[in-house]
């Protein structure tokens, strides 16, 4: 016979032997004994009265095995937790022979015995899992000790302080107490002290890291007196990586992008305005998305400070162009006014040149001198062509015998005309040079004034933003990584 056949025969023999043991009289007797014991114990059992009714308070030990923590919501201020809750107490009415050992029975038997009315004081919704049946466990010990376990999921309230959000820590608690019994009847305790909660090290939360947990016990005041309350406090530290990629980094890039307008020509209005409006609207979208994931609270959060500051930088970058454009057109209007005044002055000078030029000659008329009464010299305005003149005394034009230009010596006449032409030409050339200099100077001042604003903005905006980031991150990270803030050792 080969090896495969031998192994198959041995498997059949072992299986048959096992089946024979299940139907041995010993197994049947133990099952019959357990059934009879339970029936005798529960025949006159009153499940409405607690054990040791009328005596000292009944101690109830609590232990947990955490399965998962999920759905932590800042908007609703709540979190969800799945766990195995086990309660331990002693009921002297359920003692039996030590020979039967520990007895594990169906959870439906819990409806026939007394169980603590334990509930979560801060839960919003709790349910027991029912696949495939209600997930309940009931174990008896011969001395009357009972262990009652339930697999459940609870949605509990967690009041969060979001002042340093998203570089914050949260302390979410689960409050356990009796609904109807006071400390005169029931006293809760952690069954195994600081080791009463298991599975905490294996839990992973997407946005948080579990820093530690505390187990506490205290008495809370109720209408009937004082009620024993146990508290599981879980310290959570938020991961900042998601917010750096989702909020901080896009905000920084948008602020830097808004500075590009400082290097664009101030006359490119469409480009600078479009860039400024785009960055402002994008920052508005980021701010809206941040507020959508948070409750409507009145105080300012850390992320609000950063987003609002970035929005202010983007807005003032757009406002800077408004200042540049205003100064540009202001200087341009002044230049147009100066050019208009220059044109008027040139027009007036041309009109003056078109009028007949007159020259002043002394009047040697003795009669006029005597009429003046003081021997003052009398001057007359005579045009170059021997026309009329205006007397200094009378102020009116009167004919006077003058020397005809044709009768003057040609050398004298040509010399005076040439000298006058040179003087006028030099004056005209000087005026044109001065006007050109003034025009170029005004244009340079206008360009320098606009470029000076952009040049200052290229320095002031980046420097201010860098200083803001240094102050913001140093202050927040100091709190975030402060060792005293992260001390979350398990205490009992």
């Amino acid at each position: 016979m080969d090896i495969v056949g031998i192994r198959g025969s041995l498997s059949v023999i072992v299986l048959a032997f096992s089946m024979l043991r299940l139907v041995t009289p010993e197994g049947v007797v133990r099952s019959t004994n357990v059934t009879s014991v339970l029936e005798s114990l529960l025949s006159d059992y009153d499940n409405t009265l607690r054990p040791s009714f009328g005596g000292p308070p009944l101690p109830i030990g609590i232990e947990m095995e955490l399965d998962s923590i999920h759905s932590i919501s800042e908007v609703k201020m709540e979190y969800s937790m799945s766990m195995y809750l086990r309660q331990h107490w002693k009921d002297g009415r359920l003692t039996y022979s030590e020979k039967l050992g520990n007895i594990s029975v169906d959870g439906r038997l819990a409806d026939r015995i007394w169980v603590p009315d334990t509930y979560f004081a801060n839960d919003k919704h709790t349910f027991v899992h029912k696949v495939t049946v209600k997930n309940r466990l009931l174990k008896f010990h011969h001395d009357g000790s009972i262990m009652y376990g339930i697999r459940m999921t609870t949605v509990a309230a967690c009041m969060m302080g979001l002042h340093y959000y998203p570089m914050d820590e949260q302390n979410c608690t689960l409050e356990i107490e009796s609904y109807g019994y006071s400390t005169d009847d029931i006293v809760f305790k952690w069954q195994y002290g600081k080791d009463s909660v298991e599975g905490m090290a294996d839990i992973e939360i997407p946005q948080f890291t579990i820093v530690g947990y505390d187990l506490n016990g205290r008495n809370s005041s109720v209408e009937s007196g004082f009620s024993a309350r146990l508290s599981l406090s879980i310290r959570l530290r938020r991961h900042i990586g998601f917010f750096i990629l989702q909020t901080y980094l896009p905000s920084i890039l948008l602020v830097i992008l808004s500075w590009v307008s400082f290097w664009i020509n101030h006359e490119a209005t469409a480009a600078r305005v479009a860039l400024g409006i785009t960055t402002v609207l994008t920052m508005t979208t980021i701010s809206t998305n941040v507020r959508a994931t948070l409750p409507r609270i009145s105080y300012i959060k850390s992320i609000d400070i950063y987003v609002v500051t970035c929005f202010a930088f983007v807005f003032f970058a757009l406002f800077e162009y408004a200042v540049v454009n205003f100064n540009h057109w202001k200087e341009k209007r002044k230049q147009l006014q100066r050019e208009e005044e220059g044109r008027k002055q040139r027009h007036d000078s041309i009109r003056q040149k078109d009028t007949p030029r007159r020259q002043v000659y002394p009047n040697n008329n003795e009669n006029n001198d005597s009429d003046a009464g003081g021997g003052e010299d009398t001057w007359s305005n005579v045009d170059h062509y021997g026309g009329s003149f205006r007397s200094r005394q009378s102020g009116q034009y009167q004919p006077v015998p003058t020397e005809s230009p044709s009768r003057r010596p040609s050398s004298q006449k040509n010399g005076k005309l040439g000298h006058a032409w040179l003087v006028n030409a030099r004056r005209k050339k000087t005026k044109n040079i001065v006007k050109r200099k003034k025009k170029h100077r005004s244009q340079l001042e206008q360009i320098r004034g606009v470029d000076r604003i952009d040049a200052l903005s290229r320095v002031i905006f980046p420097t201010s933003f860098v200083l803001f980031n240094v102050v913001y991150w140093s202050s927040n990270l100091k709190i975030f990584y402060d060792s005293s803030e992260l001390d979350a050792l398990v205490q009992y």
Side-chain angles (χ1 to χ4, degrees):
M1 184 179 292
D2 55 0
I3 298 175
V4 176
I6 295 173
R7 289 180 177 178
S9 300
L10 291 175
S11 301
V12 172
I13 294 172
V14 171
L15 180 61
F17 183 76
S18 300
M19 294 178 65
L20 289 173
R21 289 191 63 186
L22 292 176
V23 295
T24 54
E26 182 181 356
V28 175
V29 171
R30 187 176 187 279
S31 175
T32 304
N33 291 337
V34 170
T35 302
S36 60
V37 168
L38 291 177
E39 289 295 333
S40 62
L41 292 175
L42 299 176
S43 59
D44 57 350
Y45 187 89
D46 188 358
N47 61 358
T48 60
L49 299 177
R50 69 171 179 86
S52 303
F53 181 78
L58 176 67
I60 298 178
I62 302 292
E63 66 166 316
M64 292 182 181
E65 183 180 350
L66 301 183
D67 186 25
S68 63
I69 298 176
H70 51 275
S71 300
I72 300 177
S73 174
E74 292 84 7
V75 177
K76 297 181 180 180
M77 294 285 183
E78 64 184 21
Y79 71 100
S80 300
M81 177 188 294
S82 296
M83 60 182 167
Y84 300 91
L85 176 67
R86 302 185 185 97
Q87 304 178 73
H88 301 262
W89 71 94
K90 191 172 183 179
D91 192 344
R93 296 172 293 181
L94 298 177
T95 57
Y96 56 89
S97 175
E98 185 178 356
K99 295 180 181 180
L100 295 177
N102 297 333
I103 302 175
S104 297
V105 297
D106 190 276
R108 287 173 289 186
L109 188 62
D111 297 331
R112 299 180 59 184
I113 65 173
W114 180 91
V115 294
D117 57 347
T118 307
Y119 83 107
F120 302 126
N122 62 328
D123 81 311
K124 295 183 177 180
H125 175 66
T126 302
F127 64 92
V128 178
H129 293 264
K130 298 181 180 180
V131 179
T132 57
V133 294
K134 281 188 177 182
N135 299 164
R136 297 188 295 180
L137 172 66
L138 190 61
K139 283 186 177 182
F140 295 99
H141 196 263
H142 66 88
D143 62 352
S145 299
I146 301 173
M147 191 273 286
Y148 178 50
I150 307 175
R151 180 172 178 256
M152 62 174 58
T153 297
T154 180
V155 179
C158 179
M159 302 308 297
M160 302 180 185
L162 301 174
H163 293 86
Y164 300 104
Y165 178 91
M167 291 170 281
D168 59 333
E169 286 188 7
Q170 302 300 333
N171 191 28
C172 295
T173 62
L174 187 65
E175 307 289 338
I176 305 172
E177 67 176 294
S178 173
Y179 186 78
Y181 293 99
S182 65
T183 53
D184 296 332
D185 299 314
I186 288 179
V187 175
F188 283 106
K189 68 175 183 177
W190 292 108
Q191 181 68 14
Y192 304 112
K194 64 180 182 180
D195 298 325
S196 299
V197 176
E198 299 178 353
M200 190 72 71
D202 300 328
I203 294 178
E204 294 183 358
I205 309 174
Q207 290 190 20
F208 293 88
T209 298
I210 298 178
V211 180
Y213 64 94
D214 297 333
L215 300 179
N216 299 312
R218 68 181 189 276
N219 293 332
S220 62
S221 178
V222 294
E223 294 182 358
S224 58
F226 290 94
S227 177
R229 174 177 292 190
L230 298 181
S231 177
L232 168 62
S233 179
I234 304 173
R235 188 75 62 84
L236 303 172
R237 185 174 65 190
R238 195 183 305 274
H239 295 160
I240 195 175
F242 170 80
F243 298 94
I244 289 178
L245 297 177
Q246 192 76 13
T247 303
Y248 286 103
L249 187 59
S251 300
I252 293 173
L253 294 179
L254 282 173
V255 173
I256 296 174
L257 181 62
S258 66
W259 300 340
V260 176
S261 63
F262 302 151
W263 280 267
I264 300 177
N265 191 346
H266 64 275
E267 294 183 354
T269 304
R272 295 189 67 163
V273 171
L275 180 61
I277 292 177
T278 301
T279 53
V280 168
L281 292 179
T282 308
M283 279 303 307
T284 304
T285 303
I286 292 177
S287 178
T288 303
N289 293 335
V290 170
R291 291 195 300 270
T293 59
L294 294 172
R296 297 179 180 179
I297 51 182
S298 58
Y299 53 84
I300 298 176
K301 301 171 289 296
S302 178
I303 196 170
D304 292 338
I305 297 175
Y306 197 88
V307 172
V308 170
T309 304
C310 291
F311 183 85
F313 272 97
V314 172
F315 174 79
F316 282 114
L318 178 61
F319 183 76
E320 183 268 350
Y321 176 66
V323 175
V324 169
N325 194 50
F326 175 78
N327 289 337
H328 171 69
W329 287 106
K330 182 179 178 181
E331 295 296 331
K332 200 166 186 178
R333 284 194 297 270
K334 290 182 179 180
Q335 181 183 355
L336 292 175
Q337 291 177 359
R338 287 193 294 267
E339 291 178 354
E340 184 66 23
E341 292 177 357
R343 283 195 297 268
K344 289 181 179 180
Q345 291 177 359
R346 288 194 298 272
H347 180 69
D348 294 340
S349 63
I350 292 172
R351 291 182 59 185
Q352 290 177 1
K353 290 178 182 179
D354 290 340
T355 57
R357 290 177 295 178
R358 296 176 178 84
Q359 194 169 1
V360 180
Y361 293 97
N363 190 353
N364 297 324
N365 193 333
E366 296 179 356
N367 295 329
N368 290 337
D369 291 341
S370 60
D371 293 339
E376 296 180 357
D377 295 334
T378 303
W379 299 82
S380 301
N381 291 331
V382 183
D383 65 11
H384 294 282
Y385 305 100
S388 62
F389 77 95
R390 186 177 63 180
S391 174
R392 185 176 180 183
Q393 294 176 344
S394 61
Q396 298 183 1
Y397 291 96
Q398 299 178 5
V400 64
T402 59
E403 183 180 1
S404 174
S406 60
R407 297 179 181 179
R408 296 175 185 173
S410 59
S411 60
Q412 181 182 1
K413 180 173 64 174
N414 293 334
K416 291 181 179 179
L417 291 176
H419 178 71
W421 182 84
L422 288 174
V423 171
N424 291 332
R426 289 175 181 175
R427 289 178 179 175
K428 186 175 181 179
K429 185 177 181 180
T430 304
K431 289 181 179 179
N432 291 334
I433 293 173
V434 171
K435 289 179 181 178
R436 284 196 298 269
K437 287 183 177 180
K438 288 183 179 179
K439 183 177 181 180
H440 291 307
R441 189 182 298 111
S442 62
Q443 291 177 353
L444 289 174
E445 289 178 354
Q446 179 182 355
I447 295 173
R448 289 173 182 172
V450 172
D451 289 343
R452 189 181 296 111
I453 297 175
D454 281 338
L456 290 175
S457 299
R458 294 168 194 168
V459 177
I460 294 175
F461 275 76
T463 304
S464 302
F465 191 67
V466 170
L467 291 176
F468 164 72
N469 277 274
V470 170
V471 174
Y472 178 85
W473 291 106
S474 61
S475 60
N476 284 274
L477 292 178
K478 181 179 179 181
I479 298 173
F480 189 60
Y481 291 107
D482 191 354
S483 59
S484 62
E485 294 291 333
L486 301 183
D487 185 17
L489 298 177
V490 178
Q491 299 177 357
Y492 176 70

